[in-house]
Amino acid sequence: MEFFNDIGGDPLKPSLFELIAQEQLRDLLQPALKYVLAVFAQRYPRYLIRIVNRHEEFYAMIMLFVERHYLLKYNASFAEKFYGLKRRRKAWIPTERSNAAVGGVPPGEKLRDREIWRSLFFLVAVPYVRAKAHDYYEQLGGGVSPDILGDNEDGQNGQVSSNGSLTSRWRRAYNNFFPWVNISFEVLLLAYNVAYLFERTPFYRPWLAWVGVDLRRLGAEDFLMDSAKQEGRPSGKRDTMKRLYTLLTRSPRMILDSLRFLLPTSIFFIKFLEWWYSPGSPARALSSSPLGPAVPPPRVLPPHPDGLPVDNMTFGHCPLCKNSINNATALPSGYVFCYRCAFDHVEHHGNCPVTLLPTKVWQLRKVLV
């Protein structure tokens, strides 16, 4: 990852892998929160069922406060701060040399209200609109024609008007139009990713140029400023009341700041529980069955008095040809023979040569050893 950044000679330019990783983290927050709310809603449906039904609005409202806090304090979104990135206000005239000579973080890089609200529009509003559009597309059948579903505007199933109403025409147009808009949007994002990877554009998203910001890594100056803020906090026994007042006034901010550690941890915990309780998880083998001990395998059927005798002291030999078993094949009785011997006997006699249990040819099972 560092190799791609050193090619352009800018160590503070984030790689495409970091940018995609922070977007994936942001995309995981909504389903994780929805899963937690759905679990608690089963226990407290009176209080949480409405929130679960309006999850997109609830999540957008929460992220509006969270993202605004991080943009104001850290000049970065929640996911960008977690990956050590920040948003820098793009100046009309670059002043890299003057900034390097002065040192520190230039005050002109701090986001203003215009950049913050534009960033919130694409961080909160655009994902909300896309989620609602996709949900509406699924409600209309996910691209299935209303004629197939048999629904019309009057609510009568199986009857579609000949001329078609405005609602039905809108549904058909939306079902045909939304997939093309969605795939065009994804292709646009992919094109910008490729252009950013090959340094054809300084923005990995098309709207960052309109917002007026670009993404950068946190430099040494940013960490020095954070440490200076930490050292400036009150300390000592005489400042106990002052620290208590500061704690009470800053408790909402402290909660928001702690989200960058709590939310990724909760996502990992939810994914772990999902793996732990999955049907194919190997962890289920460590716990005993709730239905009791495991059922033992059935006993081997004893040979029939009129059947072929079997020597219990001889293993690996076919009871029919008396030679070493070639292409081992098991019968429903549990006895193993050569495939050719078992096939010929069952085809002519229709039973097991040892137990005389009725057997069909399709019941032969080859044994992989």
Side-chain angles (χ1 to χ4, degrees), residues 29 32 36 259 261-272:
L29 294 178
V36 173
L259 290 178
F261 303 105
L262 296 178
L263 288 181
T265 305
S266 62
I267 292 175
F268 171 78
F269 183 69
I270 291 173
K271 291 297 181 181
F272 174 78

Side-chain angles (χ1 to χ4, degrees), residues 41-60:
Q42 295 178 0
R43 194 167 186 176
Y44 306 101
R46 181 178 179 181
Y47 306 100
L48 298 178
I49 192 64
R50 295 181 179 178
I51 298 179
V52 174
N53 294 335
R54 295 289 183 179
H55 172 72
E56 286 78 10
E57 290 78 5
F58 176 72
Y59 178 77

Side-chain angles (χ1 to χ4, degrees), residues 126-144:
V126 172
Y128 169 75
V129 172
R130 289 193 65 190
K132 297 298 290 185
H134 188 271
D135 290 344
Y136 184 66
Y137 177 74
E138 295 295 334
Q139 291 177 4
L140 297 182
V144 180

Side-chain angles (χ1 to χ4, degrees), residues 343-363:
F343 184 87
D344 293 341
H345 182 87
V346 172
E347 187 178 22
H348 290 88
H349 300 86
N351 58 14
C352 173
V354 177
T355 62
L356 302 184
L357 184 70
T359 307
K360 302 296 183 181
V361 173
W362 57 267
Q363 293 178 321

Side-chain angles (χ1 to χ4, degrees), residues 72-88:
L72 287 173
K73 186 174 183 179
Y74 300 106
N75 290 337
S77 66
F78 168 77
E80 292 165 0
K81 176 61 179 176
F82 180 80
Y83 278 94
L85 305 176
K86 69 174 182 178
R87 296 195 172 206
R88 180 185 65 174

